[in-house]
Amino acid sequence: MHKSLFAAAVAVALPAVVASTSSCSHQSKATPVNVTWENLGHQVDTAGNPSYVQRFVITGDVGRVARLAFNQFDRPMQPTNAGDTVVKIIPGYYYIASSEWSADQDSLVMEIVTGGLCTSFSFAPDGVHGVDAQGQPFDVNFERKSLTARPEQWRVEGRRDRMPYADQIYDFNATLATDEPLGAYDILPSFKSVTLGEGTYTGEAKGETKIVENANPEWYSIIVAPEGITVEAANEATARMAWRTVGRLLAANGGSLPAATVVDYPDFGYRGLMIDVARNYQPLEEMKKFADVMADYRLNRLQFHFIDDEAWRLEIPGLPELTQYASKRGYTLDEAENLAQIYAGNGDANNPKGTANGYMTRQDFIDFLKYCNELGIQVIPEVETPGHARAARKAMEYRYRTTGDATYRLVEDNDTSKYRSAQDFGDNVMNPALPGPYAFMEKVIDEILAMYKEAGAPIEYFHIGGDEVPAGAWSGSPSAVKFMQENNIADEHGLHAYWADKMADMLNARGLKLAGWQEIAIDKPEDVARAIAPKIGFINLWVPWAQHGAKELPAQKAQRLGLPVLLSAVTNYYFDLMYDYSPDERGLNWGGVVDEFKSFDGYPNRLAPPVKGAPSKVIGVQGQLWAETMRSPEWLEYYLLPKMFGLVERGWNADSTMTHAKYNRIIDEREMPALDRKNVNYRMRQAGVKVNEDGKIVMNSPYPQAVIRYTLDGTDPTAESPVYEGPLSADGVKQVRARLYHHGKESVPSILIIEQ
């Protein structure tokens, strides 16, 4: 699904850790410790395997540093100095130390040969903190040096250079140029039809509402006349949505609208986002803020991904360990009192700042459900099972260890199963052959349903995850082996299918439909998939391409088997993927890159072509925002916008289209100013640069009113750099860097290397 990036990580032998600590309280302020990190460049061995050398330099109060801990995606690491040590605490969390470090040094330096590539912002270390001689974590001042200071930092011998150079950007920007003016009703998602009339309305977003019969429950019409506005809608909820749209139109046009009749309705009833708050937590206020943005763009479903391997983020009455233990991450060598830090943090498991720690209380979630319900957004809870369950497993083991209560244990003591998950975990799967997982899920489901009832919020689906169960997950479990023999289950795929079927029965008995990632059914035997299909509300179809030599696409197979499909394609709708391959961009790239045009071009009929003789089972589209690389609410907004706009358009208008140029202009002139009014962050596209036929350096922008600033000396432009005003001489210039300034924001730099 979202983690195949890590599957190729190679395990390395690391020194055993004997010491153990789970204390995460920081000492009082002392002389600062400063840490600078740099990628010295890539290299390739004789077998063609790439690696890079990362250098840590520690200055300041170096005598305080016994270890330096940091987070980084799991990679093999080997110090260049025999006296230095790299220890993997858990996959993705390391510390470094050295027998040669001493308190009288001015600086401590360590260089580490690291397998793989470091060609983007999100693959550099994060969560860097010190550990003193008593095993206590402390803050450091951390600085990363540029990833684009030298070409060897992003170029790899024998590998494709994926840097989006400025001349390529120039050519794409040129395709976005258009003289077509925008009309008053050009917003996203676009309307089904607009018929202009005579005169102008000036005033507020209010008027008469009429409820009319229509087969589509989200059908509405907006009738704008000089004397007032009338909204006709299929129901009250759709009328509220229509009036919200009227407000957007008036705001975009300075409080006035030309007379017109708008007729509109969506092509899909399900238009959603999945937001992951497990990996890096987002507070209630940010979730409400973004629900408000969703409502503006007529998105109506939010898949709430609040648990995963790395944390549990929702209070469950009766199971306090889920949040007391599993919502906290910090420096620990044994995870006795909290989970180990991963992705980000400062080593303090009790630090309320940042994204490492935190959870929604029961009342917070009820409040959030009420808020979303008022906006017309249904929240779909997701409890990842049986894989991606490390946080739940660890929490229930903590409960067993501290209370002796084995009711909700998710594993057995004598399980010798050996496996590695996509994130390289070997302890993240529940065991379906035990009673504990069923008792656990029943408790969690019933407590969550009680929250929905108290909130008065609708719930139709309950999502069980179900993806990426690694091979061998139950191979060493005596209970699983016995259970499969007694129940005539052929293999682990069959045990996984058994679990999904029992979860479906548990949910169906409560009036709910099961939802899950495509692995719960699509890769199972066809008779198994057909049997569970009536119990399923939808599967997230995230792999759109044919696999293992199959002659039909997964979406076609799913529809043929009667499985409802929610298009969640990684190729177009995974919003945690980088906008492009610039090393200065954040995000992952295991599934390619996704920008606002990639999502716009995610046409449902191309991702899920009709199946001859079978009715369409595609219920809608959904964008996914996984949070491994997110570090703040501002980052969440940056990842989603503007690439979310393509999803917005495709969910409402599946097959109708506009040109890329017009779409880009609407984003620039309508939607970015609207986001500014709401104080919502977003990403700017880059400036283009090339040397033209006359040998002159020319630049262009995807947004006509943007300012381009540039440098000619290989440094990144700043707000004080020269403004591009016309062609420049290329004589003697080896490198041009340009940055876009627009709407109060700046782009990442674009680079042009000129061969003289």
Side-chain angles (χ1 to χ4, degrees):
M1 178 169 76
H2 46 295
K3 305 97 174 174
S4 302
L5 157 74
F6 312 112
V10 181
V12 292
L14 294 171
V17 177
V18 178
S20 175
T21 178
S22 59
S23 174
C24 294
S25 60
H26 284 210
Q27 296 182 351
S28 58
K29 288 186 178 179
T31 304
V33 173
N34 307 304
V35 180
T36 301
W37 174 89
E38 183 178 8
N39 172 14
L40 299 184
H42 288 87
Q43 55 198 17
V44 178
D45 65 18
T46 55
N49 300 311
S51 63
Y52 60 98
V53 178
Q54 47 183 333
R55 174 188 288 165
F56 291 89
V57 179
I58 308 170
T59 59
D61 187 7
V62 298
R64 192 179 177 196
V65 184
R67 297 170 177 172
L68 185 74
F70 62 95
N71 297 114
Q72 195 167 21
F73 287 129
D74 195 27
R75 292 291 184 267
M77 297 187 189
Q78 183 66 47
T80 58
N81 188 327
D84 296 341
T85 302
V86 179
V87 172
K88 178 162 63 172
I89 300 171
I90 63 169
Y93 190 28
Y94 302 86
Y95 75 74
I96 56 177
S98 176
S99 61
E100 300 178 6
W101 290 357
S102 63
D104 58 357
Q105 291 176 279
D106 293 330
S107 65
L108 308 176
V109 181
M110 179 178 283
E111 294 182 355
I112 306 169
V113 179
T114 305
L117 306 175
C118 184
T119 54
S120 77
F121 181 95
S122 293
F123 290 87
D126 208 336
V128 179
H129 63 86
V131 181
D132 65 21
Q134 288 73 45
Q136 298 299 305
F138 61 87
D139 291 324
V140 300
N141 299 320
F142 179 60
E143 177 188 1
R144 303 187 204 186
K145 290 192 175 181
S146 172
L147 283 170
T148 57
R150 303 177 304 279
E152 61 266 26
Q153 292 176 305
W154 72 81
R155 288 178 175 172
V156 183
E157 183 182 351
R159 298 286 183 106
R160 177 184 172 189
D161 184 354
R162 292 182 176 272
M163 169 71 84
Y165 288 104
D167 52 348
Q168 299 167 322
I169 297 170
Y170 186 99
D171 291 342
F172 185 77
N173 286 348
T175 69
L176 302 178
T178 177
D179 294 326
E180 180 185 359
L182 294 184
Y185 291 87
D186 284 326
I187 62 171
L188 298 172
S190 58
F191 299 118
K192 285 293 190 290
S193 71
V194 178
T195 304
L196 294 175
E198 298 292 332
T200 301
Y201 170 81
T202 301
E204 299 179 0
K206 59 182 181 180
E208 185 180 4
T209 299
K210 296 179 180 179
I211 304 302
V212 298
E213 290 188 13
N214 196 281
N216 189 324
E218 292 183 289
W219 181 97
Y220 68 91
S221 176
I222 301 170
I223 303 165
V224 180
E227 60 274 14
I229 297 177
T230 300
V231 164
E232 296 179 346
N235 53 56
E236 293 289 349
T238 299
R240 289 194 295 272
M241 180 175 66
W243 280 113
R244 192 179 190 97
T245 300
V246 172
R248 288 181 58 210
L249 288 167
L250 286 168
N253 290 279
S256 296
L257 283 172
T261 297
V262 173
V263 175
D264 204 21
Y265 52 87
D267 289 345
F268 290 116
Y270 190 122
R271 306 174 303 282
L273 280 179
M274 187 231 68
I275 296 183
D276 168 12
V277 299
R279 273 56 177 276
N280 284 288
Y281 185 63
Q282 297 294 327
L284 175 62
E285 294 73 21
E286 175 64 14
M287 293 296 289
K288 284 185 174 181
K289 178 182 179 183
F290 212 82
D292 194 65
V293 174
M294 289 177 63
D296 277 347
Y297 295 100
R298 292 174 244 153
L299 297 177
N300 62 359
R301 298 289 188 276
L302 174 61
Q303 185 174 320
F304 186 52
H305 188 91
F306 64 87
I307 76 152
D308 213 296
D309 290 322
E310 298 87 350
W312 184 290
R313 305 295 192 181
L314 179 63
E315 179 186 23
I316 301 296
L319 298 177
E321 298 81 8
L322 288 171
T323 46
Q324 290 175 0
Y325 174 92
S327 73
K328 300 190 299 182
R329 302 194 297 234
Y331 178 71
T332 172
L333 301 183
D334 58 10
E335 297 187 301
E337 300 296 327
N338 54 261
L339 295 171
Q341 180 171 297
I342 193 166
Y343 303 131
N346 69 346
D348 183 357
N350 296 305
N351 178 24
K353 298 180 180 179
T355 58
N357 307 318
Y359 65 92
M360 277 191 180
T361 66
R362 182 180 190 276
Q363 193 55 52
D364 285 341
F365 189 54
I366 290 170
D367 183 16
F368 183 58
L369 290 174
K370 289 179 178 178
Y371 190 82
C372 289
N373 192 33
E374 291 172 359
L375 293 172
I377 297 170
Q378 291 185 28
V379 179
I380 299 163
E382 181 177 4
V383 178
E384 280 271 19
T385 67
H388 287 291
R390 188 175 190 270
R393 272 185 48 157
K394 290 284 187 181
M396 291 302 94
E397 288 302 283
Y398 176 78
R399 178 187 180 92
Y400 175 60
R401 193 166 62 245
T402 56
T403 70
D405 180 9
T407 305
Y408 301 109
R409 288 193 75 192
L410 307 175
V411 292
E412 61 185 336
D413 288 325
N414 53 349
D415 189 342
T416 60
S417 301
K418 301 293 183 184
Y419 60 88
R420 307 311 297 179
S421 74
Q423 284 75 29
D424 207 29
F425 292 122
D427 56 355
N428 77 330
V429 182
M430 299 178 180
N431 191 334
L434 304 175
Y438 299 94
F440 176 80
M441 287 301 293
E442 189 166 36
K443 172 67 173 174
V444 169
I445 290 168
D446 286 344
E447 291 293 347
I448 291 175
L449 291 182
M451 298 180 210
Y452 276 82
K453 183 177 181 180
E454 188 169 332
I459 178 168
E460 182 179 359
Y461 310 110
F462 196 104
H463 204 291
I464 67 158
D467 59 304
E468 295 186 329
V469 175
W474 305 299
S475 59
S477 163
S479 295
V481 172
K482 180 181 178 182
F483 187 86
M484 288 190 287
Q485 290 172 347
E486 292 177 346
N487 290 275
N488 196 30
I489 297 174
D491 53 23
E492 291 185 350
H493 284 290
L495 187 55
H496 186 194
Y498 178 90
W499 169 261
D501 189 61
K502 292 307 176 186
M503 288 298 101
D505 289 342
M506 187 182 293
L507 293 167
N508 289 176
R510 289 159 172 78
L512 301 175
K513 288 279 192 177
L514 176 143
W517 297 95
Q518 68 186 59
E519 287 95 322
I520 66 171
I522 197 70
D523 61 349
K524 303 296 185 287
E526 292 196 3
D527 60 333
V528 173
R530 290 185 189 277
I532 199 174
K535 305 176 184 181
I536 291 179
F538 64 82
I539 58 169
N540 298 88
L541 201 295
W542 66 276
V543 178
W545 57 85
Q547 295 178 290
H548 313 302
K551 295 182 179 180
E552 60 184 347
L553 298 176
Q556 292 175 303
K557 179 180 179 181
Q559 294 183 85
R560 180 172 56 78
L561 297 175
L563 295 163
V565 170
L566 178 61
L567 289 176
S568 309
V570 60
T571 50
N572 304 84
Y573 301 145
Y574 266 42
F575 295 160
D576 62 308
L577 297 182
M578 300 170 71
Y579 277 94
D580 62 32
Y581 287 103
S582 167
D584 292 312
E585 280 289 355
R586 60 203 66 178
L588 302 179
N589 56 30
W590 64 269
V593 295
V594 173
D595 64 5
E596 60 268 38
F597 296 101
K598 204 73 173 289
S599 58
F600 181 79
D601 290 338
Y603 289 96
N605 272 352
R606 299 176 190 174
L607 296 170
V611 177
K612 186 176 181 180
S616 174
K617 298 288 285 185
V618 177
I619 68 167
V621 297
Q622 180 169 280
Q624 283 57 241
L625 183 58
W626 303 106
E628 289 98 329
T629 63
M630 286 199 311
R631 300 294 181 264
S632 70
E634 292 74 23
W635 286 33
L636 179 149
E637 295 162 14
Y638 181 97
Y639 276 121
L640 284 173
L641 295 160
K643 69 176 71 172
M644 188 185 86
F645 291 137
L647 176 85
V648 164
E649 182 66 15
R650 286 302 142 248
W652 198 267
N653 299 299
D655 297 308
S656 59
T657 188
M658 62 186 79
T659 65
H660 279 186
K662 181 174 182 179
Y663 170 64
N664 182 67
R665 187 160 188 172
I666 292 174
I667 290 174
D668 177 22
E669 297 182 19
R670 291 282 192 267
E671 306 310 342
M672 287 181 175
L675 295 173
D676 289 338
R677 290 191 290 271
K678 286 181 171 286
N679 193 31
V680 175
N681 192 29
Y682 52 90
R683 184 246 191 189
M684 304 296 303
R685 297 191 68 81
Q686 294 160 271
V689 185
K690 75 172 185 178
V691 177
N692 67 11
E693 297 81 357
D694 298 327
K696 297 291 186 179
I697 298 169
V698 292
M699 306 183 193
N700 68 359
S701 164
Y703 317 118
Q705 302 304 314
V707 172
I708 302 173
R709 295 184 180 271
Y710 68 93
T711 62
L712 303 177
D713 61 359
T715 62
D716 289 338
T718 69
E720 285 71 46
S721 298
V723 174
Y724 174 73
E725 295 178 335
L728 305 169
S729 171
D731 292 345
V733 177
K734 296 182 178 180
Q735 189 177 131
V736 184
R737 297 195 179 205
R739 194 193 295 267
L740 209 64
Y741 291 83
H742 192 41
H743 291 302
K745 292 180 168 52
E746 64 179 31
S747 70
V748 300
S750 47
I751 300 172
L752 179 67
I753 297 176
I754 301 175
E755 304 293 341
Q756 293 289 340

